[in-house]
Amino acid sequence: MRRAREVIPGGVNSPVRAFGSVGGTARFIKSATGARIRDVDDNRYLDYVASWGAVLVGHAHPRVVDAVRSAAARGTSFGAPTEAEVLLAERVIEFVPSVEMIRFVNSGTEAVMSAVRLARGATGRDKIIKFEGCYHGHGDSLLAAAGSGVATLGIPGTRGVPEAAVRDTIVVPYNDLDAVENAFLQHSDGIAAVIVEPIAANMGMVSPRPGFLEGLRSLCDTYDAVLIFDEVITGFRVARGGAQGRLGVVPDLSTFGKVIGGGLPVGAYGGRRDLMRHIAPEGEVFQAGTLSGNPLATAAGLAVLELLDEDGVYDALEQRSRRISEGLQSQADAAGVPMTIDSAGGVFGFFFHPGPVRNYEDVQKADGKRYETFFHGMLDQGVYFAPSAFEVAFVTTVHSLADEDETLEAARRVFRKGL
Ligand code: HOZ
């Protein structure tokens, strides 16, 4: 870490990895297989970070490794179209019916920046509505009241983002439909898009209240604005069809990342054909990338989606997350520690807070000190949760019942010691 800090700011290539909010030193990972990661000191950890959700079928899954290896042997990048990109596009469209056309990029950040540009280009309007505590990558216009690393560092925004870049960003509380309606009333013909994490997972996990997403859908219809679901975390993870498939609300555009790259750098945005046709070279909204549709990432994505198409995958993920959530909740209850837990498909999140947790204001009332103690207590026993109370926990298809028992046993010891 000392050497890393000399040459990389904070020693890390993404801030939340630095253990800044929980204290201690980040683990340097040397290898991983299945549900376990190994650090450079040869400590093994049961992994609930799973590359921040990018790994859904377990680390180094043989089918993914084979696919990447054979793609690499054919050439790592051509800067020209390949058949595999078409196959992956068709596959995503099959999983997520609201996506009629898709464009692959290299990260979730890029996907969101491009989707917002598209919404603005297609509507000829500038303003966008986002929600406090939702995180949509580190593009300038969305770094207002953001979750994830911005929340972890406890800063309201970030230096280097000019005021002009966020002037057209309207920030409202998550789950507050009245606030969204008021924003529309105030700027009725100026709002290009509403962008939302349909299940918020960058301020811990906060589910939408019944009617919230439906309300966004109908306000966007009324005011001809584009509804963008940021499914970078929830896509292919909370259900086969993502949060939109699970909750039954259809956006105009969606953004993806993480799972569809199988652990390689990928993002994508897609949606209604009439909107997507505005993208260059068909239309006048420009977006490009040397490594977009990269053969290795595409091969990994295809292998993962194939695995996810097998029967029972999502039921198993759902059961695993639920079992562990219920186990943790009952331990907290027995210990008299206020805790609120939520789960969906392969993701769960908990707050040391009696609940309900509906928005970022509630999230901030959660007990961060308790999270820190819990995090280190678990880490000491070889269970690796996110080094931040503002992130969620990820289950993969290879987390076993025995892994869960081990996790719950470790948690029992942490609660017993006192939180
Ligand atoms: N933005 C990621 C969490 N939602 C963190 C990425 C990382 O640190 O690797």
Side-chain angles (χ1 to χ4, degrees):
M1 190 48 146
R2 199 173 357 99
R3 273 170 58 206
R5 284 205 187 103
E6 287 300 313
V7 288
I8 300 171
V12 289
N13 280 309
S14 191
V16 79
R17 299 178 193 179
F19 280 34
S21 70
V22 291
T25 306
R27 302 301 188 264
F28 279 66
I29 306 306
K30 148 166 109 175
S31 64
T33 43
R36 307 221 173 218
I37 53 176
R38 186 186 291 273
D39 72 14
V40 288
D41 298 315
D42 268 331
N43 300 304
R44 288 185 85 215
Y45 302 92
L46 189 47
D47 183 20
Y48 287 98
V49 174
S51 185
W52 302 97
V55 171
L56 183 54
V57 296
H59 294 286
H61 190 289
R63 298 252 296 266
V64 178
V65 172
D66 280 353
V68 173
R69 191 176 280 138
S70 66
R74 293 191 299 271
T76 54
S77 182
F78 314 121
T82 60
E83 187 187 7
E85 291 160 75
V86 184
L87 294 174
L88 185 58
E90 288 169 350
R91 209 74 168 116
V92 171
I93 289 167
E94 205 185 300
F95 273 61
V96 189
S98 75
V99 175
E100 294 172 341
M101 291 183 102
I102 189 162
R103 178 53 81 74
F104 293 107
V105 292
N106 299 288
S107 69
T109 291
E110 229 187 292
V112 168
M113 280 164 48
S114 311
V116 167
R117 182 179 303 152
L118 169 56
R120 286 173 161 161
T123 57
R125 302 171 181 173
D126 289 339
K127 295 203 183 301
I128 48 174
I129 296 178
K130 86 167 279 279
F131 296 90
E132 263 169 19
C134 282
Y135 176 75
H136 305 287
H138 61 91
D140 280 358
S141 67
L142 293 163
L143 272 180
S148 190
V150 182
T152 306
L153 297 174
I155 51 178
T158 162
R159 294 188 68 162
V161 173
E163 211 200 301
V166 285
R167 193 173 300 145
D168 287 319
T169 306
I170 302 164
V171 183
V172 294
Y174 195 76
N175 271 325
D176 187 342
L177 216 43
D178 289 344
V180 182
E181 189 158 17
N182 282 338
F184 270 112
L185 287 171
Q186 267 177 44
H187 310 276
S188 55
D189 55 359
I191 294 173
V194 174
I195 182 161
V196 65
E197 289 182 76
I199 297 173
N202 279 291
M203 51 171 153
M205 181 169 170
V206 181
S207 286
R209 289 165 122 171
F212 175 59
L213 297 176
E214 291 82 350
L216 296 183
R217 176 67 278 171
S218 95
L219 283 168
C220 285
D221 288 342
T222 305
Y223 291 94
D224 277 330
V226 176
L227 180 60
I228 307 174
F229 277 5
D230 182 341
E231 296 237 38
V232 168
I233 287 183
T234 50
F236 309 92
R237 177 168 280 281
V238 298
R240 191 177 187 275
Q244 55 194 273
R246 185 182 177 96
L247 303 170
V249 179
V250 180
D252 301 301
L253 292 177
S254 304
T255 57
F256 304 103
K258 303 201 192 258
V259 171
I260 47 161
L264 276 87
V266 169
Y269 63 104
R272 274 171 35 202
R273 187 180 300 277
D274 61 307
L275 287 173
M276 292 301 288
R277 288 212 191 277
H278 287 276
I279 302 288
E282 279 201 53
E284 292 177 353
V285 176
F286 190 75
Q287 176 270 310
T290 298
L291 293 175
S292 295
N294 174 264
L296 271 56
T298 305
L302 272 169
V304 168
L305 291 194
E306 222 165 84
L307 288 163
L308 295 181
D309 221 9
E310 288 169 9
D311 285 346
V313 168
Y314 286 98
D315 287 344
L317 279 171
E318 190 80 31
Q319 279 163 22
R320 277 169 202 154
S321 301
R322 194 171 302 148
R323 183 167 178 270
I324 202 155
S325 301
E326 286 171 359
L328 289 173
Q329 182 76 67
S330 66
Q331 291 180 7
D333 293 348
V337 172
M339 193 185 217
T340 306
I341 308 194
D342 203 351
S343 71
V347 60
F348 65 94
F350 52 91
F351 297 103
F352 290 105
H353 182 293
V357 181
R358 297 151 300 193
N359 54 35
Y360 191 45
E361 202 185 321
D362 294 337
V363 165
Q364 284 172 310
K365 292 182 195 140
D367 189 336
K369 203 77 205 142
R370 271 206 167 117
Y371 186 84
E372 187 182 324
T373 310
F374 179 83
F375 167 79
H376 280 292
M378 296 300 278
L379 193 67
D380 289 346
Q381 297 177 80
V383 184
Y384 186 72
F385 277 102
S388 162
F390 295 98
E391 303 285 354
V392 290
F394 295 103
V395 171
T396 71
T397 56
V398 296
H399 277 79
S400 65
L401 277 181
D403 292 335
E404 292 201 339
D405 287 342
E406 185 182 325
T407 308
L408 290 172
E409 198 39 54
R412 190 164 295 122
R413 284 192 283 268
V414 173
F415 279 112
R416 200 177 301 136
K417 228 168 140 192
L419 265 182

